[in-house]
Amino acid sequence: MSGVHGEKAMEDEIVARLAAQGWRYDDGSAARYDRQRALFPEDVFEWLTETQYDELAKHVKPTMDAAAQAKAKDGILNALADTLSNVDHGGGTLQVLRKGFRRIGSRFDMVQAKPTETMNQTTMNRYTANVLRVVRQVHYSVTNPNKSIDLVLFCNGIPVATIELKTEFTQSVTRGQLQYKDDRDPGPDGKDVLLAWGKRALVHFVVTDNEVSMTTKLDGAKTTFLPFNQGNGTGKGNPLNPKGARTEYFWRDVLDRDAFLNILTKYIVIRTDEKPDPVTGQNVKSTSLRFPRFHQWDAVEKTIARVQQVGAGERYLIEHSAGSGKTDTIVWTAFRLAALHDAKNEKIFDSVIVVTDRNVLDKQVAAAMRQLDPHAAQMVRIDGTGGSKSSELGEA
């Protein structure tokens, strides 16, 4: 089997599965992608019409003629694109998904997270209205019209992930990684914003029959990929799948509609680390986007599912090796448990207390929790700055 034919068959299987799981897919969607703005406009306006019609009608008025409506829509798309691209001043994809964007006196939300309880029908309807779309062979480059990416995933018209497919018959996961490193650089001017860090796609995957790897930042030869595999017993990789590719779990489970929306709205955070430079001795800051690796996502989701099934009272152990992301797993587990409701819409836990034994870890956990809970509705940090820690804990 040739690589091209193998990849096409794999594409066929993935998009068919995603379509069956509630994703939008049609053969002509690639032609409707706006590569200048790196958006899928019709999904943007379907989402806004379904969830924020009154606000949208202030700009795209029903009384306008077609030309005036088109101009008004252009203004909204430009405002959205500008906010997505303005990472250094409070914008970027993650911020737009969390806080929306503004356009002349209006603020528009761009995603609805899955509610933790089902009593508010309006919120439930907004969640159902989320439009997830998979588009094949996206010609994304404004400088080279021949460049394309196998699959791009969109949420309400905003690209959130890219995927390069390789078949193990001819090419390994390493070949896909090199393609991203050598041929998927947005460039110093960032003209191809689909690939620019934080401005559109949040994560980039390489998927083969046997392995999945990912990166959240394309930086030429310096790009770092991490495995996104299940593990195979006590070893790396993925176990045999008698029904198909070893990596079927990726599009079946991770790209399940509810699961993927949960990742977009309840997992991803920005983290800033400070480490001393070995040469100068001065502290150097580095900022990274934290997308869950498979073992982190799997551990959190299994814990949440078990607690929803049996309630409070059991003990759980999540083991992490050094450097495998324990801080993030702590944050995601605590955040999800704090908001967890049972089938009767009653909270399962009154309080979730995170105890850490290192100041750096405590700082990282608090910073990540603030992003997931920006209004401090769920999280209070106990650090002794307002008195004794025990009194602060009692007050909280």
Side-chain angles (χ1 to χ4, degrees):
M1 182 188 293
S2 74
V4 173
H5 289 105
E7 287 174 23
K8 184 180 183 305
M10 199 173 181
E11 270 187 36
D12 290 341
E13 180 181 350
I14 292 173
V15 298
R17 184 64 186 245
L18 294 186
Q21 293 174 178
W23 288 69
R24 298 283 178 85
Y25 170 71
D26 63 79
D27 284 331
S29 56
R32 307 197 299 280
Y33 171 68
D34 180 344
R35 80 172 74 182
Q36 298 293 332
R37 298 186 180 104
L39 293 171
F40 202 91
E42 70 186 63
D43 289 353
V44 173
F45 288 108
E46 178 178 336
W47 160 255
L48 294 178
T49 300
E50 288 292 321
T51 61
Q52 297 151 87
Y53 177 81
D54 291 343
E55 207 63 37
L56 179 62
K58 294 177 183 178
H59 303 269
V60 185
K61 299 176 182 177
T63 56
M64 289 175 169
D65 61 28
Q69 285 195 350
K71 185 177 180 181
K73 285 185 175 183
D74 266 349
I76 288 173
L77 290 174
N78 286 336
L80 172 57
D82 288 346
T83 308
L84 287 167
S85 297
N86 200 7
V87 175
D88 295 331
H89 296 90
T93 301
L94 194 54
Q95 281 295 89
V96 169
L97 292 176
R98 293 258 156 83
K99 298 181 180 180
F101 72 100
R102 296 186 179 277
R103 166 69 175 162
I104 310 178
S106 296
R107 189 183 71 82
F108 295 103
D109 296 324
M110 284 309 297
V111 71
Q112 174 61 59
K114 188 174 185 178
T116 55
E117 45 84 19
T118 58
M119 296 177 69
N120 188 323
Q121 192 57 49
T122 300
T123 307
M124 292 297 295
N125 291 342
R126 281 170 63 105
Y127 177 70
T128 303
N130 284 313
V131 181
L132 294 185
R133 182 180 295 273
V134 55
V135 182
R136 297 170 79 164
Q137 297 304 318
V138 174
H139 289 265
Y140 65 91
S141 177
V142 296
T143 56
N144 185 342
N146 296 319
K147 284 189 175 184
S148 66
I149 289 179
D150 291 333
L151 298 175
V152 179
L153 307 182
F154 294 81
C155 176
N156 298 323
I158 299 173
V160 290
T162 72
I163 303 173
E164 286 288 352
L165 301 175
K166 299 295 173 191
T167 57
E168 293 286 356
F169 292 102
T170 54
Q171 301 179 88
S172 68
V173 71
T174 304
R175 180 67 192 94
Q177 294 171 359
L178 288 172
Q179 190 171 3
Y180 269 119
K181 290 179 180 182
D182 298 340
D183 199 41
R184 297 287 184 266
D185 189 345
D189 52 6
K191 283 185 178 179
D192 293 331
V193 289
L194 173 66
L195 305 178
W197 185 84
K199 294 182 179 182
R200 294 297 189 279
L202 296 167
V203 61
H204 310 278
F205 292 102
V206 177
V207 181
T208 75
D209 310 84
N210 293 335
E211 292 189 70
V212 182
S213 67
M214 69 167 205
T215 184
T216 57
K217 185 176 184 179
L218 296 177
D219 192 19
K222 293 186 286 184
T223 302
T224 300
F225 279 88
L226 296 171
F228 196 84
N229 298 317
Q230 301 174 89
N232 188 3
T234 57
K236 61 182 181 178
N238 291 296
L240 279 171
N241 175 14
K243 297 181 180 179
R246 290 174 183 250
T247 52
E248 185 186 17
Y249 69 92
F250 176 69
W251 55 90
R252 181 193 63 216
D253 301 332
V254 179
L255 299 186
D256 170 80
R257 177 184 168 84
D258 288 338
F260 193 68
L261 281 168
N262 263 346
I263 290 173
L264 290 180
T265 56
K266 299 178 181 180
Y267 277 89
I268 308 173
V269 292
I270 301 288
R271 187 162 113 189
T272 300
D273 292 313
E274 238 180 274
K275 293 181 180 178
D277 184 290
V279 177
T280 65
Q282 295 180 330
N283 282 343
V284 178
K285 286 187 178 182
S286 63
T287 301
S288 60
L289 189 147
R290 315 296 286 187
F291 189 97
R293 292 168 66 183
F294 181 84
H295 65 273
Q296 297 172 302
W297 174 80
D298 188 49
V300 174
E301 292 300 322
K302 283 178 176 174
T303 302
I304 297 302
R306 176 67 181 174
V307 173
Q308 281 187 313
Q309 180 187 0
V310 303
E314 292 195 330
R315 294 184 178 189
Y316 304 86
L317 174 65
I318 300 175
E319 294 185 282
H320 266 281
S321 57
S324 61
K326 61 182 174 293
T327 304
D328 298 325
T329 304
I330 291 168
V331 169
W332 294 323
T333 305
F335 177 69
R336 295 287 298 284
L337 290 175
L340 201 59
H341 287 66
D342 62 19
K344 297 178 181 177
N345 285 319
E346 294 177 354
K347 284 196 74 175
I348 294 177
F349 297 103
D350 296 315
S351 300
V352 174
I353 300 172
V354 179
V355 180
T356 65
D357 63 350
R358 287 186 295 155
N359 286 335
V360 171
L361 185 61
D362 183 55
K363 259 179 93 173
Q364 291 171 344
V365 169
M369 286 294 288
R370 275 196 295 272
Q371 290 181 54
L372 295 173
D373 180 30
H375 304 298
Q378 291 179 207
M379 189 273 290
V380 176
R381 186 181 182 192
I382 310 299
D383 56 8
T385 55
S388 72
K389 290 186 178 180
S390 56
S391 64
E392 282 186 2
L393 180 60
E395 250 181 78

